[in-house]
Amino acid sequence: MSTKKKAAKTSKSARKPKGGAMRSTRAAMSVATSARSTVKERVAAMAEAPLAVCESDKDLQAMLNVLRNKEEPVEVRLAAMDSLATAAFSVIKFESCRNDYIATLREVAQDPDPKIRESALGLLAGEKDGFAQKKLLEGLQNREKALVPPEKALQLLSYDVHAEAYSVARDIVEKPPNADAKREALRLLAADATSAPLFEKLLRDKDELREIRQISASALHGLNPGKLQRHAREMLLDNSEYDDIQATCLTALTQFGDDEAVGKDEALLKSVDRFSAGKTSSKYKQSARRFLSKYGR
Amino acid sequence: MNVELQINNSISPSARFVTWAPSPCRIRVTNPSGATAPIVNVQITGVSVASGGAVVFRGNTTGAFSNSLTVPVPINGTSVPFFVAGRFGRPSVNNGDVRIEARNGTTLVGSVSVMVRVRKNAEALTPGERDRFVAAFAQLNNQGAGRFADFRSMHTNVSSPQAHGAPGFLPWHRAYLLDLERELQAIDPSVALPYWRFDQPAPKLFTLDFFGVSGPNGTIQFSNTNPLQFWVTDGVQGINRGPRNNWNPATQPGPTVITEAQTLLLGTQYPAFSGMEGNPHGTAHTRWNGFIRQIGTAAKDPLFFLLHCNVDRLWAKWQRQNGRFDPAHAASFDSNPGNPIGHNLVDTMWPWNGITGGTRPPTAPGGAMASSPCVSAPGPQPRVRSSLDYQGSVNALSREGFDYDDVRFA
Amino acid sequence: MQNVATASVQSEPQFAALVDALAADPNRREQLTELLREDHLLYDQRGSATTVRMRGWVLLALARAGVSDAALLFVLEELDTGVDAYLVAAAARALRSYPSPNAAFAPFVMRALTNIRYHDELVSFEGYGEYAISSTGTSPVRELLATLAWLGPHARGALREVESLRAQRGGLSKKLLIDVDRAVEAIRDADQVDEPGTDTCCTLPSGLSNTFSWALSSRRGSEPIESTVFEDHEGASITFKEFFRGHPSIVVFFYTRCDNALKCSLTVTKLARVQKLLEARGLADQIHTAAITYDPAFDLPARIRGYGQNRGVRMDDRHRMLRTTDGVNALRRHFKLGVNFIESLVNRHRIEAYILDAEGRIAACFERMHWDEQQVVDRTIEVLQEKSDETTSEVSPGPADCPARHKTKTVSPIFGTLASLGVAFFPKCPICWAGYLSVFSIAGLNQIPYSPWLQPMLVAVMLINLASVWLRGRLTGRMSGFYLVSAGAFAIVLLNMGLGWENAAVWGVALTLAGSLMSALSGKNASQVVE
């Protein structure tokens, strides 16, 4: 795809007014959609008058055309997408624009430019759009059809728990194409009730990466808080455990623990006491002290 | 002799929170022993710890504030009113870091500890304030099973017409933030909602110990001691948020977001000013990838509330600058016969009104507006108009019990 | 009953081909309606988006083939609570293929319009599974406005609301405003005005009887699920029998991850309102309520407790949020739940609420459409007040603002015996006829002319009795009555009528009587439900 840079010709209307005041919507839109302005000017102008598209179908179509036009610079196209996404927040005013907006997002979700694709798919995924979900799943099942990297596809699919992605996420945990993809797959599986045993296993695996174990702790906290409490306790009693994961366990117990049970657990309290006095970071010690003071120690 | 001090006309410790707007108080003699006259002069002063809050007083609903106040109090137990307010620019850092003392001569006859509790710039919070806020927020979420689920449900695609794209945008979000803040204060009363100045860099906010750092894939990472690591919404763990277009929110202001100065210059009439829903509000949302980027998912990200706190602060500042607190003043709002339901001054606001079906969403999560031990406004079912006079500038009874660190009372 | 051959349908294209084939075949079109049942095997292990594509294609097929009364329910359901643009658009289009417009449809169309207007998007009906990626195509709002135009004067009740679409600030695009004008014009069209009084607001076609079913005397026992174990919102364990037996109950189904606020969230909110109505009448201790999650693996006690609290649900020993810890499939079968899953996650479900009697049997069921809280309470009070030995019921048609009711009749086995008597001893000629009826001359029956058509009619009644006894035997598991009645019928029809063995008639009648009585007295559910 070519990204032609337009000749830099700063017209009077493209220049922002002095003193911080805003130029008129018409002026801003004129600059935004003009190929004669620079990329920087157009991006700035698009941000100034996002609601213009709601007031004029002509402006709406002009902005959508910029977004669709593969000949336009990518930055300008992304700015057009941002401007439309901004206008979409004004739901009532945006009502007349939405149909064309969604259709255009689907079109550019298959754009040659990866940033455009990822941006469009992100917005569609937030709408739980079936088209986007279908494309993302296809891409995970067949790398040649992938529109975004696997970790991004998994992240976007996680917007909708109903997006039939658990099976492919499990496959990716087993055989991750990269570390990011494994992490995102695990985050997605945090909504899958049957994955609790997987998270228990990962949480207790000292050879696993810290971040994986942290994800597992919070996932298990959502799927089976009782089990997390038990594991957290055991891990705090285990002197050979890493400080950082012990700190996560402490946080879980401090925030969400069964106060009555924890308050009576002498072994646990002593272990945390040792932790607070041991060779660990000051932040972790502070966390331990907070825990202990909650239980009157 | 002993006296009783009532802050916000209450003896309850839960009411001992003040803002820049004057709080009604009362003093009365509870034990007259030692008194030599039927009326005694009691001097009321504020005593602050270093870097703590400070308060000022006045005897009436109008007039200047001063650092101390002498009040003639009958010894028969009749209470006498007075007013206390935080001294502008001196908010508290901890609960009770300001003591109001009552003396008869040099004898201390009564005291209460209060907090000057206002909404601050997130960048200005101490580590203690930050940690308390984050802990309260995580508790409200409670791995997806807490009351936060209602706040998430209040801001979805289904309910969006109640609060967006029409004049009720600013009043509705003000009420929304207030409701959330009161729920946080029910967990920890020392907490106030901070705001994110999206037109400035925020090096402290976007850290592992506060609102997290975006990973390479746009998933937020937290430190092991940050309780927000357990954040769950819609049954899904974690927060998706990544800055777009190579922007670093810790070191750069939001690109193309208009500045505070520009926002305040949008216009002196409400219709013009409310265009800020586009920029800076919408633009602040869409500088990110992730939940916060669109209406249906924005409230899944706790940053949403700090973003809107700043939006609300900008409105508050504009109101102060232009004297736009009175709903009866045409320039304070955009009243138009074509406004949809929920966007007229007299309309009650969903979901607090409990009205469902028809032009309102099918359910009303969260129930009535949370109450406050400090104030009675806006009541369980606020109307659009009640959001305007949040400081009680027009009617003292309209005071809603919050203020911004940089928006004066008068 | 799933008549459609599902074994061969694995992929979405295969499904689409099946639907197209059914739509094209007038003899098999009715099977399309079956494909709209959520619990249909074809939706098992499909994701929600896939389910939407599949259901939408069925609705579009119905739009081409014509919507029957049976399918109408599903179409109106989609308009009532649908939030997916594709499905709402398809349903709106399908509605226009119903044989005639009806004023009762207008509120559904307006409701759909309210639900979807700010989430309108272009949809493509060109091919299966297509999504609109250009500005051509239709949209749910467009289809709904077209349906309003089709309704014409039948939508008079909604005229003001339709006109207000124009007046609102912001609002619809110019193209859609043209459609609004078209709809308004059609609604105002005086030429199409019906006779006064022929078109009341809620005279829904009789095909909507399935929204509410009421079975006073034909309730299946709850034995299959009595030992199902639940965990409640506090984590306490309780079996079905322990919670539901001894008092009537109102049961709804939900799950916390339902993203359609018009379904689960509203259902549980309404349950809270039902509880308040019960409290107001002092019945909260006598009538229990329960909300059972479809998603027990994920919906742990803290989650369902929070969900209920956030919707104002009362929770105590008599009013619980429940999850099954075992026996979820038995529960699904027993209630015939309108739900399907992908792994353990719901992919789609209908709205469903049940009234259980004091034995834990399903007494009434409200399906698909949103039920009225007061109606549910009133019905439950009837169950509370019913006598245990009540055996017959004929539910009269309800008031005009309620869905049409499902009539039940019971066929007594005695009629079958009498029919068999009639067949066995039917006069073979007019003289014998006169002779028989002279016995009844006091009743004036001798005036009835010889009616040879009576015999085949009596044979038919006898066969109906046979079928009835067979069904009863299947329900109770005791077939001996059926065998006796079969033997009796064989004796009468083949041996007496066919071969002329006179004694066979007596034996036939005796066997029929014995078999019928045995069937009637065996088991609890001795009555037959016949539509």
Side-chain angles (χ1 to χ4, degrees):
Chain A
M1 189 208 77
S2 67
T3 50
K4 289 183 190 166
K5 224 176 168 177
K6 305 296 175 187
K9 190 178 172 188
T10 308
S11 66
K12 189 177 173 189
S13 62
R15 277 183 250 126
K16 279 185 162 187
K18 290 181 187 163
M22 307 294 294
R23 64 189 136 190
S24 73
T25 301
R26 278 267 57 76
M29 278 304 295
S30 173
V31 170
T33 51
S34 166
R36 287 198 300 274
S37 305
T38 65
V39 167
K40 197 171 166 191
E41 285 161 355
R42 293 179 73 185
V43 167
M46 280 179 184
E48 277 177 43
L51 297 183
V53 298
C54 303
E55 283 146 22
S56 153
D57 189 59
K58 188 169 159 232
D59 286 339
L60 170 66
Q61 296 306 325
M63 196 68 87
L64 290 171
N65 285 336
V66 168
L67 173 54
R68 282 192 210 105
N69 187 353
K70 298 178 182 55
E71 302 301 310
E72 290 271 20
V74 170
E75 301 91 324
V76 171
R77 296 177 71 199
L78 286 170
M81 196 185 305
D82 287 347
S83 188
L84 289 160
T86 300
F89 270 86
S90 299
V91 171
I92 292 176
K93 290 179 185 155
F94 197 69
E95 186 182 7
S96 58
C97 311
R98 198 185 136 85
N99 283 0
D100 290 342
Y101 169 63
I102 296 290
T104 305
L105 284 178
R106 288 183 184 148
E107 185 187 328
V108 300
Q110 302 169 99
D111 196 83
D113 185 271
K115 285 186 188 166
I116 298 283
R117 289 200 302 268
E118 190 171 302
S119 206
L121 283 166
L123 286 168
L124 289 169
E127 299 279 338
K128 297 186 181 177
D129 184 67
F131 170 85
Q133 289 178 6
K134 191 175 169 191
K135 292 291 176 192
L136 291 167
L137 278 168
E138 277 173 3
L140 286 172
Q141 286 151 358
N142 181 348
R143 297 289 294 274
E144 283 170 23
K145 289 189 175 178
L147 296 171
V148 292
E151 58 273 17
K152 181 54 72 176
L154 288 162
Q155 186 193 67
L156 296 183
L157 284 166
S158 74
Y159 277 52
D160 183 1
V161 293
H162 299 92
E164 55 190 307
Y166 294 150
S167 163
V168 70
R170 279 189 213 105
D171 292 342
I172 286 176
V173 170
E174 280 296 307
K175 287 186 192 156
N178 60 60
D180 279 340
K182 182 175 178 178
R183 277 194 287 272
E184 293 302 333
L186 286 171
R187 284 201 179 91
L188 195 150
L189 287 172
D192 172 32
T194 63
S195 291
L198 167 67
F199 290 116
E200 283 188 82
K201 178 169 153 275
L202 292 170
L203 174 64
R204 300 306 298 266
D205 185 354
K206 290 178 186 163
D207 293 330
E208 266 294 351
L209 295 172
R210 180 195 73 82
E211 202 185 344
I212 296 286
R213 297 183 79 189
Q214 191 181 12
I215 291 169
S216 300
S218 52
L220 195 57
H221 185 54
L223 296 177
N224 195 327
K227 281 205 169 146
L228 176 68
Q229 300 292 334
R230 280 197 297 281
H231 285 296
R233 180 185 183 279
E234 286 169 18
M235 289 160 76
L236 280 163
L237 291 171
D238 181 357
N239 292 331
S240 67
E241 260 297 358
Y242 294 103
D243 285 359
D244 48 20
I245 198 65
Q246 286 184 319
T248 291
C249 295
L250 258 180
T251 308
L253 287 172
T254 308
Q255 284 280 134
F256 309 111
D258 178 344
D259 289 346
E260 205 184 321
V262 171
K264 289 180 191 162
D265 193 335
E266 279 304 317
L268 174 63
L269 292 166
K270 276 192 183 138
S271 187
V272 175
D273 206 15
R274 272 196 304 274
F275 181 79
S276 73
K279 287 181 186 169
T280 187
S281 79
S282 57
K283 199 160 64 171
Y284 294 164
K285 286 190 186 189
Q286 197 180 24
S287 182
R289 281 196 291 274
R290 206 176 297 140
F291 174 90
L292 291 167
S293 75
K294 184 180 176 184
Y295 296 104
R297 298 294 173 109
Chain B
M1 187 177 77
N2 294 110
V3 301
E4 174 188 86
L5 290 160
Q6 298 173 8
I7 309 300
N8 286 308
N9 288 343
S10 168
I11 57 168
S12 168
S14 62
R16 291 176 189 162
F17 296 90
V18 300
T19 62
W20 311 140
S23 289
C25 303
R26 303 195 84 86
I27 181 170
R28 68 183 187 101
V29 171
T30 52
N31 176 5
S33 63
T36 54
I39 293 178
V40 291
N41 285 331
V42 178
Q43 191 185 44
I44 306 172
T45 55
V47 178
S48 309
V49 303
S51 75
V55 293
V56 289
F57 306 91
R58 70 184 184 195
N60 296 302
T61 54
T62 56
F65 287 95
S66 57
N67 291 335
S68 68
L69 184 71
T70 300
V71 182
V73 185
I75 62 170
N76 64 4
T78 305
S79 64
V80 177
F82 69 98
F83 294 86
V84 66
R87 189 191 306 160
F88 185 70
R90 286 287 304 274
S92 290
V93 171
N94 293 301
N95 196 354
D97 63 6
V98 188
R99 207 166 62 250
I100 296 176
E101 292 184 346
R103 289 178 186 275
N104 178 229
T106 56
T107 308
L108 181 70
V109 293
S111 72
V112 289
S113 295
V114 302
M115 182 181 188
V116 181
R117 186 180 62 188
V118 299
R119 294 177 182 175
K120 299 180 182 177
N121 189 330
E123 289 296 305
L125 296 184
T126 63
E129 288 176 306
R130 174 201 69 199
D131 290 348
R132 287 197 303 270
F133 170 69
V134 155
F137 218 153
Q139 198 69 48
L140 191 68
N141 179 257
N142 192 17
Q143 42 109 15
R147 284 277 289 127
F148 182 78
D150 277 344
F151 290 96
R152 189 268 173 279
S153 299
M154 286 182 203
H155 198 281
T156 63
N157 281 330
V158 171
S159 61
S160 54
Q162 300 297 310
H164 300 85
F169 164 72
L170 287 168
W172 189 91
H173 283 85
R174 177 167 281 176
Y176 185 42
L177 295 179
L178 183 63
D179 197 13
L180 179 102
E181 185 179 61
R182 288 180 175 179
E183 292 288 348
L184 290 171
Q185 288 165 349
I187 294 169
D188 183 342
S190 72
V191 158
L193 203 56
Y195 57 87
W196 167 43
R197 276 286 303 256
F198 35 67
D199 62 333
Q200 291 179 344
K204 290 185 182 175
L205 179 59
F206 298 109
T207 58
L208 293 170
D209 288 324
F210 205 166
F211 266 38
V213 173
S214 300
N217 199 37
T219 308
I220 292 294
Q221 295 163 339
F222 295 104
S223 74
N224 293 90
T225 54
N226 190 333
L228 289 177
Q229 66 186 294
F230 298 108
W231 188 264
V232 172
T233 50
D234 300 348
V236 178
Q237 184 258 336
I239 299 167
N240 293 343
R241 183 201 322 138
R244 289 171 59 72
N245 305 329
N246 303 316
W247 164 49
N248 185 342
T251 57
Q252 298 167 301
T256 66
V257 172
I258 63 173
T259 64
E260 176 169 311
Q262 287 174 315
T263 305
L264 295 173
L265 286 175
L266 284 174
T268 59
Q269 311 287 307
Y270 187 90
F273 179 74
S274 65
M276 65 99 82
E277 184 179 358
N279 196 339
H281 158 258
T283 317
H285 272 281
T286 56
R287 292 316 90 184
W288 301 94
N289 285 317
F291 295 160
I292 205 165
R293 193 167 177 216
Q294 52 206 118
I295 282 190
T297 51
K300 284 159 63 76
D301 186 342
L303 181 66
F304 167 93
F305 296 90
L306 277 64
L307 183 160
H308 266 277
C309 198
N310 194 45
V311 168
D312 191 68
R313 184 187 67 88
L314 290 166
W315 181 32
K317 220 167 204 184
W318 175 85
Q319 286 183 290
R320 174 53 57 203
Q321 191 173 282
N322 297 285
R324 300 287 186 244
F325 297 103
D326 190 350
H329 195 308
S332 298
F333 194 68
D334 179 9
S335 293
N336 186 299
N339 283 347
I341 190 76
H343 295 270
N344 301 286
L345 281 171
V346 298
D347 292 344
T348 52
M349 292 191 284
W350 177 93
W352 306 285
N353 60 11
I355 299 174
T356 58
T359 49
R360 302 289 196 170
T363 58
M369 168 68 71
S371 62
S372 164
C374 302
V375 295
S376 57
Q381 296 180 351
R383 294 183 189 273
V384 171
R385 59 183 297 133
S386 57
S387 285
L388 271 66
D389 189 22
Y390 77 96
Q391 283 185 319
S393 298
V394 177
N395 178 348
L397 291 175
S398 302
R399 184 174 62 96
E400 294 192 337
F402 72 92
D403 257 312
Y404 289 99
D405 56 358
D406 64 351
V407 181
R408 288 179 177 276
F409 168 64
Chain C
M1 298 284 281
Q2 297 185 357
N3 297 322
V4 180
T6 56
S8 59
V9 177
Q10 301 292 330
S11 69
E12 288 185 65
Q14 286 172 327
F15 175 82
L18 170 67
V19 169
D20 291 344
L22 291 176
D25 183 352
N27 295 327
R28 294 203 296 159
R29 265 177 208 163
E30 282 166 19
Q31 294 177 31
L32 286 172
T33 306
E34 197 54 36
L35 290 180
L36 288 172
R37 293 189 60 87
E38 291 81 0
D39 53 337
H40 198 289
L41 204 55
L42 283 171
Y43 298 117
D44 184 42
Q45 302 310 312
R46 308 276 188 182
S48 292
T50 308
T51 305
V52 163
R53 292 192 290 270
M54 292 166 74
R55 296 180 68 84
W57 200 242
V58 176
L59 286 169
L60 290 172
L62 284 169
R64 294 194 300 275
V67 166
S68 63
D69 279 354
L72 180 64
L73 173 62
F74 294 91
V75 171
L76 293 179
E77 177 196 18
E78 199 60 56
L79 298 177
D80 194 41
T81 55
V83 295
D84 185 276
Y86 185 60
L87 289 177
V88 173
R93 182 171 284 203
L95 188 58
R96 298 201 291 277
S97 72
Y98 188 75
S100 56
N102 185 314
F105 297 160
F108 289 93
V109 176
M110 293 311 298
R111 202 142 54 233
L113 204 48
T114 304
N115 291 340
I116 206 79
R117 68 175 286 195
Y118 294 113
H119 318 296
D120 200 26
E121 61 187 61
L122 292 169
V123 297
S124 168
F125 289 162
E126 295 302 309
Y128 177 84
E130 280 186 16
Y131 292 88
I133 58 168
S134 68
S135 297
T136 56
T138 184
S139 80
V141 171
R142 173 146 251 205
E143 292 294 328
L144 288 164
L145 290 171
T147 303
L148 280 172
W150 170 75
L151 285 173
H154 299 277
R156 262 194 308 266
L159 180 59
R160 216 166 78 167
E161 221 178 315
V162 179
E163 283 172 334
S164 74
L165 291 172
R166 273 210 148 274
Q168 204 171 67
R169 280 173 103 189
L172 300 170
S173 66
K174 285 196 181 113
K175 273 192 231 170
L176 289 175
L177 286 173
I178 294 171
D179 291 340
V180 170
D181 291 339
R182 202 171 285 139
V184 169
E185 200 185 315
I187 292 170
R188 284 194 180 140
D189 186 351
D191 290 343
Q192 287 189 53
V193 173
D194 283 346
E195 293 288 325
T198 58
D199 203 30
T200 59
C201 76
C202 293
T203 316
L204 281 164
S206 58
L208 288 187
S209 60
N210 292 348
T211 58
F212 169 71
S213 59
W214 179 245
L216 261 178
S217 57
S218 60
R219 299 173 192 169
R220 284 177 292 119
S222 61
E223 291 88 355
I225 58 166
E226 280 198 340
S227 55
T228 298
V229 180
F230 295 100
E231 194 178 30
D232 75 1
H233 49 275
E234 295 293 348
S237 285
I238 192 162
T239 63
F240 182 94
K241 186 175 175 178
E242 284 164 352
F243 185 70
F244 290 108
R245 270 213 160 199
H247 40 73
S249 306
I250 298 166
V251 181
V252 301
F253 285 85
F254 79 105
Y255 72 116
T256 63
R257 293 190 284 185
C258 179
D259 54 6
N260 183 344
L262 292 161
K263 286 192 173 177
C264 295
S265 186
L266 183 52
T267 291
V268 173
T269 302
K270 285 157 75 88
L271 184 70
R273 292 183 203 148
V274 160
Q275 292 173 337
K276 290 194 172 42
L277 289 172
L278 290 174
E279 282 166 19
R281 296 184 66 159
L283 293 172
D285 287 346
Q286 296 174 64
I287 295 174
H288 290 200
T289 65
I292 304 177
T293 178
Y294 291 122
D295 189 6
F298 186 81
D299 286 345
L300 302 177
R303 213 162 254 133
I304 57 177
R305 183 172 63 248
Y307 194 86
Q309 275 169 351
N310 291 350
R311 284 151 186 79
V313 172
R314 167 180 167 168
M315 283 176 274
D316 53 40
D317 287 347
R318 295 186 174 83
H319 304 277
R320 304 199 193 202
M321 308 283 289
L322 298 170
R323 65 185 275 266
T324 50
T325 54
D326 74 41
V328 61
N329 286 328
L331 203 69
R332 213 175 142 183
R333 279 193 301 271
H334 179 74
F335 282 96
K336 296 191 170 78
L337 293 178
V339 65
N340 226 318
F341 297 86
I342 174 165
E343 300 188 26
S344 64
L345 186 57
V346 174
N347 60 22
R348 179 161 171 123
H349 69 95
R350 67 182 180 194
I351 291 169
E352 45 201 343
Y354 299 85
I355 298 174
L356 307 186
D357 67 13
E359 302 297 315
R361 300 175 299 182
I362 299 170
C365 164
F366 301 78
E367 293 174 13
R368 301 197 176 279
M369 303 298 187
H370 262 299
W371 38 270
D372 176 71
E373 295 93 310
Q374 189 61 60
Q375 187 189 10
V376 168
V377 168
D378 289 344
R379 284 287 167 197
T380 314
I381 290 171
E382 285 181 41
V383 173
L384 181 66
Q385 290 167 348
E386 71 190 4
K387 296 199 186 311
S388 58
D389 59 355
E390 188 167 1
T391 56
T392 62
S393 84
E394 170 133 0
V395 179
S396 56
D401 62 350
C402 296
R405 302 294 171 76
H406 173 78
K407 287 191 183 177
T408 65
K409 287 188 180 177
T410 54
V411 173
S412 164
I414 303 303
F415 287 132
T417 307
L418 289 173
S420 63
L421 260 173
V423 170
F425 297 103
F426 196 83
K428 293 167 180 55
C429 67
I431 296 168
C432 302
W433 173 265
Y436 274 44
L437 290 185
S438 67
V439 173
F440 303 105
S441 60
I442 194 166
L445 288 174
N446 57 333
Q447 301 303 318
I448 302 172
Y450 177 56
S451 309
W453 54 267
L454 262 179
Q455 189 176 38
M457 195 200 81
L458 289 170
V459 170
V461 172
M462 207 171 72
L463 291 173
I464 289 171
N465 178 53
L466 187 64
S468 159
V469 172
W470 175 78
L471 269 175
R472 203 172 310 117
R474 285 289 306 252
L475 278 171
T476 60
R478 294 187 185 126
M479 297 300 285
S480 45
F482 169 70
Y483 299 137
L484 286 173
V485 173
S486 300
F490 175 79
I492 293 169
V493 174
L494 289 175
L495 299 181
N496 177 236
M497 288 170 65
L499 299 177
W501 293 6
E502 291 197 7
N503 285 343
V506 175
W507 281 104
V509 171
L511 286 168
T512 301
L513 177 63
S516 297
L517 285 172
M518 191 182 287
S519 172
L521 293 171
S522 70
K524 291 181 192 173
N525 299 313
S527 53
Q528 170 184 347
V529 175
V530 175
E531 283 202 24

